[in-house]
Amino acid sequence: GAVVSQHPSWVICKSGTSVKIECRSLDFQATTMFWYRQFPKQSLMLMATSNEGSKATYEQGVEKDKFLINHASLTLSTLTVTSAHPEDSSFYICSARVGGRYNEQFFGPGTRLTVL
Amino acid sequence: AQSVTQPDIHITVSEGASLELRCNYSYGATPYLFWYVQSPGQGLQLLLKYFSGDTLVQGIKGFEAEFKRSQSSFNLRKPSVHWSDAAEYFCAAHQGYSSASKIIFGSGTRLSIRP
C-alpha cells in the first residue's frame, strides 16, 4: 500500500519555541492531507484539512495561528506548532489521500511532541 | 451531528477466542464506514471499509464487519484472535461530500489478548 512518512518521529522542545513536523507521501501524490491530534488513550481528533496550493481548512476550536499548515506540494505538508506550550504536547498524525472521499486515506506513523 | 460511538473502551479476550468490537454511528445518509487498527509505533492501518453493496465486508488479517442499518451498527468480528491482534481499534466514518470530506473517528477500543 501507499506509504506516508512523518519527520521527526518524536521531538522535545522548550516552551515558547516553534516546532515543524513534516508529512510526506512517498509513492503517490496526495491531493488532500489531513492533520490529526491524539491525546493518550484517546481518539484521533481532526485538526485541519489541506489541499495542495490552497489554505488549510481548520476544524472548529483549532487555532490557525498556532498550528500553521503548509501544503506546498503534492507530496509534502508541514505542521508548525508555534510558541509551543506544555498543553500542546500530544501525538500528531498526518494522513494523505488521492482524489475524493471514495479513496483511501493513508496514515503516517505519527510524531510525539513533548513541550517542557 | 454525525458521530461514531465505540461503547467498549477496553476488551480482553483469550487467544483463539472469537472477538466482536462494537461500533454505532449516527448518520443521516448512507454512511461510509471503516475500521482501522493502530499498533504502538505504527500508523493506522485500514482493516476494511463499507461503502455500499454486500453488508458483510471482509478485511485483512481475517477480520470482517457487518453493516446493520436497522441497528446503526458496524461491528468488527474475528473468529479466532491471535496475540498479534492486541492493539487499538478505531471505527470511523466519512463526513462530507466534496474533496474536503474527512474521516471522523470513534473513541477507540483497546484489545488485549490473554495467553
Side-chain angles (χ1 to χ4, degrees), chain A:
Chain A
V3 178
V4 176
S5 71
Q6 285 185 239
H7 178 79
S9 56
W10 59 269
V11 57
I12 301 173
C13 70
K14 293 183 178 180
S15 185
T17 61
S18 294
V19 175
K20 179 183 286 188
I21 302 170
E22 290 187 350
C23 174
R24 294 181 184 272
S25 55
L26 296 185
D27 49 4
F28 67 102
Q29 293 186 322
T31 49
T32 307
M33 285 188 168
F34 307 83
W35 285 95
Y36 292 83
R37 182 175 181 177
Q38 185 179 30
F39 291 102
K41 301 188 186 301
Q42 295 188 29
S43 187
L44 285 75
M45 301 301 297
L46 181 65
M47 300 173 66
T49 303
S50 72
N51 292 292
E52 186 261 341
S54 61
K55 289 184 178 180
T57 301
Y58 290 81
E59 295 298 300
Q60 190 173 9
V62 177
E63 299 176 61
K64 60 181 65 176
D65 294 331
K66 178 158 194 66
F67 299 100
L68 302 178
I69 292 172
N70 186 293
H71 192 166
S73 76
L74 287 172
T75 60
L76 173 65
S77 176
T78 60
L79 168 68
T80 301
V81 183
T82 62
S83 186
H85 288 91
E87 58 266 29
D88 299 323
S89 298
S90 190
F91 195 53
Y92 293 89
I93 300 172
C94 77
S95 176
R97 185 180 73 198
V98 179
R101 63 195 295 247
Y102 299 98
N103 296 344
E104 184 173 346
Q105 273 184 230
F106 299 96
F107 289 81
T111 297
R112 172 77 58 194
L113 170 63
T114 300
V115 184
L116 302 177

Side-chain angles (χ1 to χ4, degrees), chain B:
Chain B
Q2 298 157 342
S3 65
V4 177
T5 303
Q6 293 179 249
D8 304 307
I9 296 174
H10 183 202
I11 285 182
T12 301
V13 299
S14 298
E15 189 169 16
S18 63
L19 169 71
E20 182 168 28
L21 301 182
R22 296 185 292 165
C23 173
N24 294 99
Y25 64 89
S26 169
Y27 231 94
T30 301
Y32 299 136
L33 299 166
F34 309 81
W35 274 99
Y36 286 88
V37 60
Q38 184 182 37
S39 299
Q42 299 184 25
L44 271 77
Q45 183 179 24
L46 179 67
L47 289 175
L48 48 79
K49 60 186 177 185
Y50 171 76
F51 281 176
S52 64
D54 194 345
T55 55
L56 184 62
V57 181
Q58 300 297 322
I60 62 171
K61 303 185 178 185
F63 286 94
E64 67 177 27
E66 186 170 12
F67 171 65
K68 293 185 177 180
R69 185 184 297 276
S70 61
Q71 299 178 18
S72 298
S73 69
F74 187 57
N75 295 347
L76 181 72
R77 300 194 294 251
K78 187 170 184 177
S80 176
V81 298
H82 186 262
W83 64 267
S84 60
D85 293 325
E88 189 84 21
Y89 291 80
F90 292 98
C91 183
H94 247 306
Q95 182 174 358
Y97 294 92
S98 67
S99 61
S101 65
K102 55 203 176 188
I103 291 178
I104 57 172
F105 287 85
S107 53
T109 298
R110 183 160 60 95
L111 174 65
S112 297
I113 306 298
R114 191 184 300 119

